[in-house]
Amino acid sequence: MSTMTTRLRGLRSPARPRGAVSPQSVSQRIVGVITTALLIILVAVPLLFVLLAAFRVEPPGIPSDYTLANFKDLFHSDEVRLFRNSLIIGVGTTVLGLAIGGTLAVLLLRSNILGGKRLDSLVMIPAYMSPFMGAIAWMILFAPDIGYGSAVLHKLGLPAFDVYSFTGIIIVMGIYYAPIAYLYIRSMLANIDPSLEESARVLGASAKGTLRRIVLPLAMPAILSAMLLVLVAALGQFGVPGVLGLRDGIDVIPTKIVQYATNYPSQPTKAAALGVELAIFALVVLWVNNLVLNRRDYATIATRGGRTGGARSKSRAIGPTILVWVYVFFAAILPILALLVTSFMPYMTTKLSSVQFSLDNYNYVLRVFPASVRAIKNSLLLALGAGVIATAMAMVLSHLRYRTTSKFRKPLDYLSSVSAAIPHSVIGLAFLWTWLLVPTVIPLPFPIYGTKWIILMLYVAMHIPYASRATNSAMLQVDKSFEEAGRVLGASWLVMIRRVSLPLLRPGLLTAVIIVFYHAVRELPASMLVVSPGNEVLATAIWSMYTEGQWVKLIALVNINLLLVFIAVWIMRRFGSPED
Amino acid sequence: MSAIRVNRLSKEFVGSAVALDEVSFDVAAGEFVSLLGPSGCGKTTMLRCIAGLELPDGGEIEVSGKVVYSTLGAKRILLPPEKRALSMVFQQYALWPHMNVFDNVAFGLTMRRASKSETEAKVRRALESVELWHVRDRKISALSGGQQQRIALARAIAFDPDVILFDEPLSNLDANLRESMRLQLIELQQELGFAALYVTHDQAEAMSLSDRILVLNGGCVEQAAAPQEIWNNPASSFVAQFVGSSNMYVGEVRANSGGTAVIALESGLDVVQQNCSAKVGDKVDVFIRFNDLAVTRERPGTDNVWEASIFLVSYEGHESVLKLRTAEGMELVAVVPSAAGFSRDERVFVSTAADGVRSFVTGESRTPPADAELPVESAAAP
């Protein structure tokens, strides 16, 4: 019958319309154009060249016809075996990694674990170690006859475990990819409003029932996403099958790519074709992942202004605590201990009482062996340089993305994230081809191929997605009104960036630099394809020492590499913004 | 010279209902003007366009006599925010957490390359005017919300701007603080004499602060007038609804002799209105403010009297809100002094004088803005 106007006093303040951002200034445009040009040279050009290379008849340097012949091996029994091996290892790793990572996430976030906060950091240690270093550690633990673990198994009368096998590769990769799945599922679980679970409990569901009916369905997109990401990463993994597989003839696509490209006589066109196949597969998987993510509405999971962090059970959980410690023991404590002990020994043996421990190996890699000395210097310089450059570019891109309505935002987004999907061996190959081919077309004022520049550019191109993720989340945490206030009060765009944005973003930028640093400083397959004598980096030096059989000495170098990673991560955790 | 002149400004958002549609208005030097409207009416967009934080689709903006944006002239003009000689107070304050209070307030002066002694003196004056000179060395995070609000104000006034934009600056404060900040703001504006354009959705705030209020609805100016005028003579159904709390009914004009009209309401009851411009037969929206209804136990002698029973009493201290229902089923809300002591289920008389009733022809809610006399052609494109 009658209506009544409501009292307006209590109305909430309106949200600012989305996508409303300031017009761009000239300096902003110039910086944007330079970054875009760099991104095209570093990412788009090499990917185009490797695609081109896959259809070439001749290696670089010789004028060539184009052919489909490089792809005909796809159905050849040799390559079918490769794909089968890759798939067995990829799927096995995904299943194991997800099982471990998912269990860890649920245990750490939903049960009342003793020392919860500290355990959360310990669980991340394997992620910083890298699968390659993990494989080396597990090799000295479980190599038949000479591994410490094998000796223990033998003493206990248990059946021997051969790490040089599919099982060995899958276990090592599962353990070292578990943190990826853990991080993904953890952040999803942490964002679920506890009231969603509390209400299920109040309405009569048990803790297990709540997990099954509420938590798992909500976490499903994250689980699926983690699954696909681990699969793609595992398919591109070179180091683990390289260390644990090649000895017994278990080869996978990335190891074959490297062999094609580096073994005499090299077959770079075949490598390119194989690389293109792998890259296409990876891109398709990640495209499916995006479809999955876009279908679900994440916004509904966290209630507005609500609490996050999920509902923890109140009673102390002894069982889960032990389970998490078992993982930490096998993934971090035991391997690191084995690496440490072995690095002080003159030769590998399980009879610890009979050897003389010394610092000889460290002396050798730090002072005597020129290649390892150079590698340490080069890796530090290149990884740090790549960190700074990638972060600077990522910051410009994040700024474009969140603070402007530029129509180039979408393509730039793709371009800056695509290299995360491309297996490292393929990116390395792409750089190899590009900088061999470019000088035949345009004379360069200075050489790129065979210098440190190609490694630096490679590291920037490979890791810009990591830097972007860090700068994006930093940019989102700094409200744009801080920058707007600077402009309105009289600062030009450049002055505003220097006086307002940079200081506010500093922790996020530091995190970005370090994430790139610790990834680059341990990178192996791509580096292998572009290093040259005199320009070795840590991982390639470790690999050469491995192929030369300098066992205990290479372990000293692995430990130095690990130490660099851990120092960087410590700095990030102490001074940077949280990594996610 | 106007402090701000906005001429036929348009701005559309893709995928949003908010759109400014050729809005024109000006703010005189030293004048305090509020943009009042519900969320999504375009008021914040308007403010951000003037500040240079958003790009309009077309029109012209002048700040202190200088064209800062124009698509109307032969040459397209777009000045960046820092070249617009204005200042702004943000809704979330936007105080930089990496600078202390002093450096925040000094920012505008630093950007204008003021000397050290001048900066010191002006920052001091600004901080003293909000009584916060003593916290100058503190970190922003160490301040309360009210203090941050005042620092944001000090930062905006420190470099003596002629024009200051306010984007709902008091909306994050609790009610008591808001009240006292309002008074402080008026005092400051009168003392310093800057022109202010103030965006708010709070009618009480707009009323108490402004020399003039622009009521915005759906990207258009519904009414531009002094607060008293807006309150006493709302120009449209929308303004009547938005300003003050009213009972709203739908009816039809039955008779109108010299402005005194009889309107038949849907409930079947009649209501008499003075100064009614609607014609006989017009469908109208009828508004009666809660405060304009008198509730008595004896039958009063005014124009509109209805018998009703009270079915809800909500005590609010000095006043009480009553909900009443007539035998015909018409519901009314009235705000009465609590001292009258009405209780539930009491049968009473509800009444209002004929000048307490307002009506607007249904569907004709939009009236031309009062300051539409702007010389629009002045800078028109060839």
Side-chain angles (χ1 to χ4, degrees), chain A residues 3-5 11 14 20-22 482 484 487-489 499 503, chain B residues 39 48 53-54 82 86 95-96 98 112 201 241 246 248 333:
Chain A
T3 52
M4 183 183 68
T5 61
L11 256 178
V21 276
S22 41
F482 287 122
E484 290 173 351
R487 294 301 296 279
V488 172
L489 293 177
R499 302 194 54 143
Chain B
S39 66
R48 291 169 56 79
L53 299 172
E54 237 158 77
E82 69 270 19
L86 44 75
L95 295 171
W96 301 298
H98 62 292
R112 282 160 185 78
H201 65 270
Q241 221 176 119
S246 300
M248 188 189 132
V333 179

PDB file of all heavy atoms in Angstrom, chain A residues 3-5 11 14 20-22 482 484 487-489 499 503, chain B residues 39 48 53-54 82 86 95-96 98 112 201 241 246 248 333:
ATOM      1  N   THR A   3       4.693   3.080   0.620  1.00  0.00           N
ATOM      2  CA  THR A   3       6.127   2.845   0.756  1.00  0.00           C
ATOM      3  C   THR A   3       6.724   3.961   1.581  1.00  0.00           C
ATOM      4  O   THR A   3       6.088   4.970   1.839  1.00  0.00           O
ATOM      5  CB  THR A   3       6.823   2.815  -0.607  1.00  0.00           C
ATOM      6  OG1 THR A   3       6.456   3.990  -1.298  1.00  0.00           O
ATOM      7  CG2 THR A   3       6.448   1.592  -1.376  1.00  0.00           C
ATOM      8  N   MET A   4       7.982   3.761   1.952  1.00  0.00           N
ATOM      9  CA  MET A   4       8.597   4.743   2.819  1.00  0.00           C
ATOM     10  C   MET A   4      10.066   4.844   2.441  1.00  0.00           C
ATOM     11  O   MET A   4      10.703   3.844   2.162  1.00  0.00           O
ATOM     12  CB  MET A   4       8.452   4.248   4.250  1.00  0.00           C
ATOM     13  CG  MET A   4       8.978   5.184   5.277  1.00  0.00           C
ATOM     14  SD  MET A   4       8.826   4.425   6.892  1.00  0.00           S
ATOM     15  CE  MET A   4       9.996   3.129   6.754  1.00  0.00           C
ATOM     16  N   THR A   5      10.564   6.016   2.393  1.00  0.00           N
ATOM     17  CA  THR A   5      11.989   6.134   2.085  1.00  0.00           C
ATOM     18  C   THR A   5      12.788   5.783   3.324  1.00  0.00           C
ATOM     19  O   THR A   5      12.413   6.127   4.433  1.00  0.00           O
ATOM     20  CB  THR A   5      12.365   7.552   1.645  1.00  0.00           C
ATOM     21  OG1 THR A   5      12.065   8.435   2.719  1.00  0.00           O
ATOM     22  CG2 THR A   5      11.598   7.957   0.429  1.00  0.00           C
ATOM     23  N   LEU A  11      23.874   4.742   5.266  1.00  0.00           N
ATOM     24  CA  LEU A  11      24.376   4.170   4.014  1.00  0.00           C
ATOM     25  C   LEU A  11      25.882   3.994   4.025  1.00  0.00           C
ATOM     26  O   LEU A  11      26.618   4.839   4.489  1.00  0.00           O
ATOM     27  CB  LEU A  11      24.022   5.106   2.855  1.00  0.00           C
ATOM     28  CG  LEU A  11      22.871   4.681   1.969  1.00  0.00           C
ATOM     29  CD1 LEU A  11      22.634   5.737   0.914  1.00  0.00           C
ATOM     30  CD2 LEU A  11      23.166   3.347   1.324  1.00  0.00           C
ATOM     31  N   PRO A  14      30.209   4.505  -0.952  1.00  0.00           N
ATOM     32  CA  PRO A  14      30.194   3.757  -2.199  1.00  0.00           C
ATOM     33  C   PRO A  14      31.599   3.335  -2.617  1.00  0.00           C
ATOM     34  O   PRO A  14      32.575   4.023  -2.343  1.00  0.00           O
ATOM     35  CB  PRO A  14      29.650   4.772  -3.195  1.00  0.00           C
ATOM     36  CG  PRO A  14      30.034   6.097  -2.633  1.00  0.00           C
ATOM     37  CD  PRO A  14      30.059   5.941  -1.147  1.00  0.00           C
ATOM     38  N   ALA A  20      38.929   2.622 -12.950  1.00  0.00           N
ATOM     39  CA  ALA A  20      39.037   4.056 -13.055  1.00  0.00           C
ATOM     40  C   ALA A  20      40.449   4.483 -12.693  1.00  0.00           C
ATOM     41  O   ALA A  20      40.837   4.412 -11.550  1.00  0.00           O
ATOM     42  CB  ALA A  20      38.039   4.723 -12.114  1.00  0.00           C
ATOM     43  N   VAL A  21      41.225   4.849 -13.667  1.00  0.00           N
ATOM     44  CA  VAL A  21      42.604   5.194 -13.398  1.00  0.00           C
ATOM     45  C   VAL A  21      43.003   6.431 -14.168  1.00  0.00           C
ATOM     46  O   VAL A  21      42.366   6.810 -15.140  1.00  0.00           O
ATOM     47  CB  VAL A  21      43.551   4.039 -13.751  1.00  0.00           C
ATOM     48  CG1 VAL A  21      43.625   3.057 -12.618  1.00  0.00           C
ATOM     49  CG2 VAL A  21      43.090   3.351 -14.995  1.00  0.00           C
ATOM     50  N   SER A  22      44.091   7.029 -13.712  1.00  0.00           N
ATOM     51  CA  SER A  22      44.469   8.312 -14.260  1.00  0.00           C
ATOM     52  C   SER A  22      45.043   8.194 -15.672  1.00  0.00           C
ATOM     53  O   SER A  22      45.583   7.171 -16.050  1.00  0.00           O
ATOM     54  CB  SER A  22      45.496   8.965 -13.349  1.00  0.00           C
ATOM     55  OG  SER A  22      46.412   7.997 -12.916  1.00  0.00           O
ATOM     56  N   PHE A 482      47.521   6.380  -2.613  1.00  0.00           N
ATOM     57  CA  PHE A 482      48.829   6.898  -2.180  1.00  0.00           C
ATOM     58  C   PHE A 482      49.510   7.618  -3.338  1.00  0.00           C
ATOM     59  O   PHE A 482      50.096   8.688  -3.172  1.00  0.00           O
ATOM     60  CB  PHE A 482      49.741   5.759  -1.711  1.00  0.00           C
ATOM     61  CG  PHE A 482      49.355   5.184  -0.377  1.00  0.00           C
ATOM     62  CD1 PHE A 482      49.058   3.838  -0.251  1.00  0.00           C
ATOM     63  CD2 PHE A 482      49.299   5.980   0.749  1.00  0.00           C
ATOM     64  CE1 PHE A 482      48.705   3.308   0.973  1.00  0.00           C
ATOM     65  CE2 PHE A 482      48.951   5.459   1.979  1.00  0.00           C
ATOM     66  CZ  PHE A 482      48.652   4.112   2.094  1.00  0.00           C
ATOM     67  N   GLU A 484      47.975   8.681  -6.121  1.00  0.00           N
ATOM     68  CA  GLU A 484      47.147   9.800  -6.572  1.00  0.00           C
ATOM     69  C   GLU A 484      47.373  11.031  -5.713  1.00  0.00           C
ATOM     70  O   GLU A 484      47.431  12.156  -6.210  1.00  0.00           O
ATOM     71  CB  GLU A 484      45.673   9.395  -6.557  1.00  0.00           C
ATOM     72  CG  GLU A 484      45.350   8.381  -7.632  1.00  0.00           C
ATOM     73  CD  GLU A 484      43.936   7.849  -7.533  1.00  0.00           C
ATOM     74  OE1 GLU A 484      43.263   8.140  -6.511  1.00  0.00           O
ATOM     75  OE2 GLU A 484      43.506   7.158  -8.451  1.00  0.00           O
ATOM     76  N   ARG A 487      50.400  12.795  -6.875  1.00  0.00           N
ATOM     77  CA  ARG A 487      50.200  13.571  -8.102  1.00  0.00           C
ATOM     78  C   ARG A 487      49.436  14.858  -7.814  1.00  0.00           C
ATOM     79  O   ARG A 487      49.826  15.942  -8.239  1.00  0.00           O
ATOM     80  CB  ARG A 487      49.423  12.738  -9.132  1.00  0.00           C
ATOM     81  CG  ARG A 487      50.145  11.527  -9.669  1.00  0.00           C
ATOM     82  CD  ARG A 487      51.439  11.841 -10.353  1.00  0.00           C
ATOM     83  NE  ARG A 487      51.304  12.665 -11.567  1.00  0.00           N
ATOM     84  CZ  ARG A 487      50.970  12.189 -12.767  1.00  0.00           C
ATOM     85  NH1 ARG A 487      50.729  10.916 -12.917  1.00  0.00           N
ATOM     86  NH2 ARG A 487      50.880  12.981 -13.803  1.00  0.00           N
ATOM     87  N   VAL A 488      48.334  14.743  -7.070  1.00  0.00           N
ATOM     88  CA  VAL A 488      47.500  15.918  -6.819  1.00  0.00           C
ATOM     89  C   VAL A 488      48.271  16.977  -6.044  1.00  0.00           C
ATOM     90  O   VAL A 488      48.106  18.172  -6.258  1.00  0.00           O
ATOM     91  CB  VAL A 488      46.214  15.514  -6.072  1.00  0.00           C
ATOM     92  CG1 VAL A 488      45.448  16.736  -5.632  1.00  0.00           C
ATOM     93  CG2 VAL A 488      45.345  14.642  -6.958  1.00  0.00           C
ATOM     94  N   LEU A 489      49.160  16.530  -5.148  1.00  0.00           N
ATOM     95  CA  LEU A 489      49.907  17.497  -4.352  1.00  0.00           C
ATOM     96  C   LEU A 489      51.129  18.034  -5.102  1.00  0.00           C
ATOM     97  O   LEU A 489      51.936  18.751  -4.533  1.00  0.00           O
ATOM     98  CB  LEU A 489      50.321  16.886  -3.018  1.00  0.00           C
ATOM     99  CG  LEU A 489      49.138  16.591  -2.082  1.00  0.00           C
ATOM    100  CD1 LEU A 489      49.608  15.926  -0.822  1.00  0.00           C
ATOM    101  CD2 LEU A 489      48.365  17.858  -1.757  1.00  0.00           C
ATOM    102  N   ARG A 499      59.340   8.930  -5.071  1.00  0.00           N
ATOM    103  CA  ARG A 499      59.133   9.330  -3.678  1.00  0.00           C
ATOM    104  C   ARG A 499      58.001   8.587  -2.998  1.00  0.00           C
ATOM    105  O   ARG A 499      57.942   8.550  -1.775  1.00  0.00           O
ATOM    106  CB  ARG A 499      58.877  10.834  -3.612  1.00  0.00           C
ATOM    107  CG  ARG A 499      60.025  11.614  -4.225  1.00  0.00           C
ATOM    108  CD  ARG A 499      59.949  13.052  -3.860  1.00  0.00           C
ATOM    109  NE  ARG A 499      59.869  13.225  -2.425  1.00  0.00           N
ATOM    110  CZ  ARG A 499      60.450  14.206  -1.782  1.00  0.00           C
ATOM    111  NH1 ARG A 499      61.177  15.076  -2.417  1.00  0.00           N
ATOM    112  NH2 ARG A 499      60.294  14.331  -0.493  1.00  0.00           N
ATOM    113  N   PRO A 503      59.387   3.596  -2.405  1.00  0.00           N
ATOM    114  CA  PRO A 503      59.533   3.298  -0.969  1.00  0.00           C
ATOM    115  C   PRO A 503      58.437   2.367  -0.452  1.00  0.00           C
ATOM    116  O   PRO A 503      58.702   1.487   0.356  1.00  0.00           O
ATOM    117  CB  PRO A 503      59.424   4.671  -0.305  1.00  0.00           C
ATOM    118  CG  PRO A 503      59.693   5.669  -1.359  1.00  0.00           C
ATOM    119  CD  PRO A 503      59.313   5.040  -2.663  1.00  0.00           C
TER     120      PRO A 503
ATOM    121  N   SER B  39      25.313   6.403  -3.699  1.00  0.00           N
ATOM    122  CA  SER B  39      26.464   5.776  -4.338  1.00  0.00           C
ATOM    123  C   SER B  39      26.130   5.460  -5.780  1.00  0.00           C
ATOM    124  O   SER B  39      25.002   5.093  -6.100  1.00  0.00           O
ATOM    125  CB  SER B  39      26.852   4.499  -3.596  1.00  0.00           C
ATOM    126  OG  SER B  39      25.829   3.554  -3.729  1.00  0.00           O
ATOM    127  N   ARG B  48      37.175  13.184  -9.358  1.00  0.00           N
ATOM    128  CA  ARG B  48      38.435  12.639  -9.870  1.00  0.00           C
ATOM    129  C   ARG B  48      38.754  13.178 -11.268  1.00  0.00           C
ATOM    130  O   ARG B  48      39.918  13.310 -11.621  1.00  0.00           O
ATOM    131  CB  ARG B  48      38.382  11.109  -9.864  1.00  0.00           C
ATOM    132  CG  ARG B  48      38.390  10.531  -8.439  1.00  0.00           C
ATOM    133  CD  ARG B  48      38.083   9.046  -8.403  1.00  0.00           C
ATOM    134  NE  ARG B  48      38.993   8.281  -9.225  1.00  0.00           N
ATOM    135  CZ  ARG B  48      40.221   7.944  -8.857  1.00  0.00           C
ATOM    136  NH1 ARG B  48      40.667   8.303  -7.676  1.00  0.00           N
ATOM    137  NH2 ARG B  48      40.992   7.260  -9.657  1.00  0.00           N
ATOM    138  N   LEU B  53      42.646  12.673 -12.140  1.00  0.00           N
ATOM    139  CA  LEU B  53      42.922  11.274 -11.844  1.00  0.00           C
ATOM    140  C   LEU B  53      42.145  10.351 -12.758  1.00  0.00           C
ATOM    141  O   LEU B  53      42.368   9.150 -12.788  1.00  0.00           O
ATOM    142  CB  LEU B  53      42.583  10.974 -10.385  1.00  0.00           C
ATOM    143  CG  LEU B  53      43.391  11.780  -9.373  1.00  0.00           C
ATOM    144  CD1 LEU B  53      42.870  11.561  -7.963  1.00  0.00           C
ATOM    145  CD2 LEU B  53      44.860  11.424  -9.460  1.00  0.00           C
ATOM    146  N   GLU B  54      41.186  10.951 -13.460  1.00  0.00           N
ATOM    147  CA  GLU B  54      40.424  10.156 -14.405  1.00  0.00           C
ATOM    148  C   GLU B  54      40.226  10.973 -15.676  1.00  0.00           C
ATOM    149  O   GLU B  54      40.170  12.197 -15.618  1.00  0.00           O
ATOM    150  CB  GLU B  54      39.067   9.808 -13.803  1.00  0.00           C
ATOM    151  CG  GLU B  54      38.838   8.330 -13.751  1.00  0.00           C
ATOM    152  CD  GLU B  54      37.801   7.996 -12.709  1.00  0.00           C
ATOM    153  OE1 GLU B  54      36.630   8.215 -13.017  1.00  0.00           O
ATOM    154  OE2 GLU B  54      38.164   7.552 -11.616  1.00  0.00           O
ATOM    155  N   GLU B  82      49.383  17.143 -11.346  1.00  0.00           N
ATOM    156  CA  GLU B  82      50.313  18.034 -10.647  1.00  0.00           C
ATOM    157  C   GLU B  82      50.343  19.435 -11.236  1.00  0.00           C
ATOM    158  O   GLU B  82      50.861  20.352 -10.630  1.00  0.00           O
ATOM    159  CB  GLU B  82      51.714  17.416 -10.618  1.00  0.00           C
ATOM    160  CG  GLU B  82      52.422  17.336 -11.968  1.00  0.00           C
ATOM    161  CD  GLU B  82      52.147  16.028 -12.710  1.00  0.00           C
ATOM    162  OE1 GLU B  82      51.154  15.349 -12.364  1.00  0.00           O
ATOM    163  OE2 GLU B  82      52.916  15.689 -13.632  1.00  0.00           O
ATOM    164  N   LEU B  86      45.614  22.433  -7.558  1.00  0.00           N
ATOM    165  CA  LEU B  86      44.578  22.183  -6.575  1.00  0.00           C
ATOM    166  C   LEU B  86      45.073  21.157  -5.570  1.00  0.00           C
ATOM    167  O   LEU B  86      46.169  20.610  -5.717  1.00  0.00           O
ATOM    168  CB  LEU B  86      43.271  21.719  -7.227  1.00  0.00           C
ATOM    169  CG  LEU B  86      43.308  20.668  -8.333  1.00  0.00           C
ATOM    170  CD1 LEU B  86      43.572  19.301  -7.771  1.00  0.00           C
ATOM    171  CD2 LEU B  86      41.987  20.673  -9.075  1.00  0.00           C
ATOM    172  N   LEU B  95      47.675   8.827   3.506  1.00  0.00           N
ATOM    173  CA  LEU B  95      48.911   9.342   4.111  1.00  0.00           C
ATOM    174  C   LEU B  95      49.992   8.310   3.899  1.00  0.00           C
ATOM    175  O   LEU B  95      49.770   7.125   4.106  1.00  0.00           O
ATOM    176  CB  LEU B  95      48.697   9.585   5.611  1.00  0.00           C
ATOM    177  CG  LEU B  95      47.688  10.689   5.938  1.00  0.00           C
ATOM    178  CD1 LEU B  95      47.388  10.694   7.427  1.00  0.00           C
ATOM    179  CD2 LEU B  95      48.207  12.044   5.498  1.00  0.00           C
ATOM    180  N   TRP B  96      51.170   8.769   3.494  1.00  0.00           N
ATOM    181  CA  TRP B  96      52.223   7.818   3.133  1.00  0.00           C
ATOM    182  C   TRP B  96      52.882   7.228   4.373  1.00  0.00           C
ATOM    183  O   TRP B  96      53.498   7.953   5.158  1.00  0.00           O
ATOM    184  CB  TRP B  96      53.252   8.506   2.245  1.00  0.00           C
ATOM    185  CG  TRP B  96      52.629   9.044   1.003  1.00  0.00           C
ATOM    186  CD1 TRP B  96      52.006   8.323   0.043  1.00  0.00           C
ATOM    187  CD2 TRP B  96      52.530  10.406   0.608  1.00  0.00           C
ATOM    188  NE1 TRP B  96      51.540   9.152  -0.949  1.00  0.00           N
ATOM    189  CE2 TRP B  96      51.849  10.429  -0.623  1.00  0.00           C
ATOM    190  CE3 TRP B  96      52.952  11.609   1.161  1.00  0.00           C
ATOM    191  CZ2 TRP B  96      51.583  11.608  -1.303  1.00  0.00           C
ATOM    192  CZ3 TRP B  96      52.692  12.779   0.490  1.00  0.00           C
ATOM    193  CH2 TRP B  96      52.007  12.776  -0.740  1.00  0.00           C
ATOM    194  N   HIS B  98      55.506   5.589   4.716  1.00  0.00           N
ATOM    195  CA  HIS B  98      56.969   5.594   4.798  1.00  0.00           C
ATOM    196  C   HIS B  98      57.527   6.969   5.152  1.00  0.00           C
ATOM    197  O   HIS B  98      58.728   7.149   5.231  1.00  0.00           O
ATOM    198  CB  HIS B  98      57.572   5.100   3.479  1.00  0.00           C
ATOM    199  CG  HIS B  98      57.231   5.973   2.303  1.00  0.00           C
ATOM    200  ND1 HIS B  98      55.951   6.070   1.804  1.00  0.00           N
ATOM    201  CD2 HIS B  98      57.988   6.786   1.547  1.00  0.00           C
ATOM    202  CE1 HIS B  98      55.951   6.898   0.779  1.00  0.00           C
ATOM    203  NE2 HIS B  98      57.170   7.357   0.603  1.00  0.00           N
ATOM    204  N   ARG B 112      56.730  22.131  -4.640  1.00  0.00           N
ATOM    205  CA  ARG B 112      56.726  23.497  -5.177  1.00  0.00           C
ATOM    206  C   ARG B 112      58.031  24.202  -4.874  1.00  0.00           C
ATOM    207  O   ARG B 112      58.131  25.424  -5.001  1.00  0.00           O
ATOM    208  CB  ARG B 112      55.526  24.249  -4.592  1.00  0.00           C
ATOM    209  CG  ARG B 112      54.248  23.858  -5.307  1.00  0.00           C
ATOM    210  CD  ARG B 112      52.980  24.149  -4.527  1.00  0.00           C
ATOM    211  NE  ARG B 112      51.824  23.619  -5.256  1.00  0.00           N
ATOM    212  CZ  ARG B 112      51.473  22.330  -5.269  1.00  0.00           C
ATOM    213  NH1 ARG B 112      52.166  21.460  -4.558  1.00  0.00           N
ATOM    214  NH2 ARG B 112      50.437  21.910  -5.976  1.00  0.00           N
ATOM    215  N   HIS B 201      27.810  11.430   0.602  1.00  0.00           N
ATOM    216  CA  HIS B 201      26.485  10.840   0.439  1.00  0.00           C
ATOM    217  C   HIS B 201      25.643  11.141   1.672  1.00  0.00           C
ATOM    218  O   HIS B 201      24.519  10.689   1.791  1.00  0.00           O
ATOM    219  CB  HIS B 201      26.599   9.333   0.223  1.00  0.00           C
ATOM    220  CG  HIS B 201      27.154   8.623   1.418  1.00  0.00           C
ATOM    221  ND1 HIS B 201      28.502   8.420   1.592  1.00  0.00           N
ATOM    222  CD2 HIS B 201      26.549   8.097   2.498  1.00  0.00           C
ATOM    223  CE1 HIS B 201      28.698   7.799   2.741  1.00  0.00           C
ATOM    224  NE2 HIS B 201      27.540   7.592   3.307  1.00  0.00           N
ATOM    225  N   GLN B 241      13.059  12.720  -1.813  1.00  0.00           N
ATOM    226  CA  GLN B 241      13.284  11.410  -1.245  1.00  0.00           C
ATOM    227  C   GLN B 241      14.627  11.328  -0.535  1.00  0.00           C
ATOM    228  O   GLN B 241      14.772  10.684   0.482  1.00  0.00           O
ATOM    229  CB  GLN B 241      13.290  10.407  -2.399  1.00  0.00           C
ATOM    230  CG  GLN B 241      12.575   9.135  -2.107  1.00  0.00           C
ATOM    231  CD  GLN B 241      12.572   8.267  -3.354  1.00  0.00           C
ATOM    232  OE1 GLN B 241      13.103   7.182  -3.340  1.00  0.00           O
ATOM    233  NE2 GLN B 241      11.978   8.746  -4.423  1.00  0.00           N
ATOM    234  N   SER B 246      11.243  10.782   4.647  1.00  0.00           N
ATOM    235  CA  SER B 246       9.835  11.078   4.344  1.00  0.00           C
ATOM    236  C   SER B 246       9.000   9.811   4.188  1.00  0.00           C
ATOM    237  O   SER B 246       9.509   8.760   3.803  1.00  0.00           O
ATOM    238  CB  SER B 246       9.718  11.857   3.027  1.00  0.00           C
ATOM    239  OG  SER B 246      10.404  13.065   3.090  1.00  0.00           O
ATOM    240  N   MET B 248       6.402   8.239   1.741  1.00  0.00           N
ATOM    241  CA  MET B 248       6.154   8.471   0.327  1.00  0.00           C
ATOM    242  C   MET B 248       4.926   7.687  -0.106  1.00  0.00           C
ATOM    243  O   MET B 248       4.778   6.511   0.246  1.00  0.00           O
ATOM    244  CB  MET B 248       7.366   8.022  -0.475  1.00  0.00           C
ATOM    245  CG  MET B 248       7.287   8.408  -1.928  1.00  0.00           C
ATOM    246  SD  MET B 248       8.618   7.631  -2.853  1.00  0.00           S
ATOM    247  CE  MET B 248       7.693   6.997  -4.219  1.00  0.00           C
ATOM    248  N   VAL B 333       4.956   7.038   9.224  1.00  0.00           N
ATOM    249  CA  VAL B 333       6.017   7.087  10.224  1.00  0.00           C
ATOM    250  C   VAL B 333       6.107   8.518  10.708  1.00  0.00           C
ATOM    251  O   VAL B 333       6.106   9.457   9.908  1.00  0.00           O
ATOM    252  CB  VAL B 333       7.367   6.656   9.636  1.00  0.00           C
ATOM    253  CG1 VAL B 333       8.455   6.756  10.701  1.00  0.00           C
ATOM    254  CG2 VAL B 333       7.287   5.246   9.081  1.00  0.00           C
TER     255      VAL B 333
END
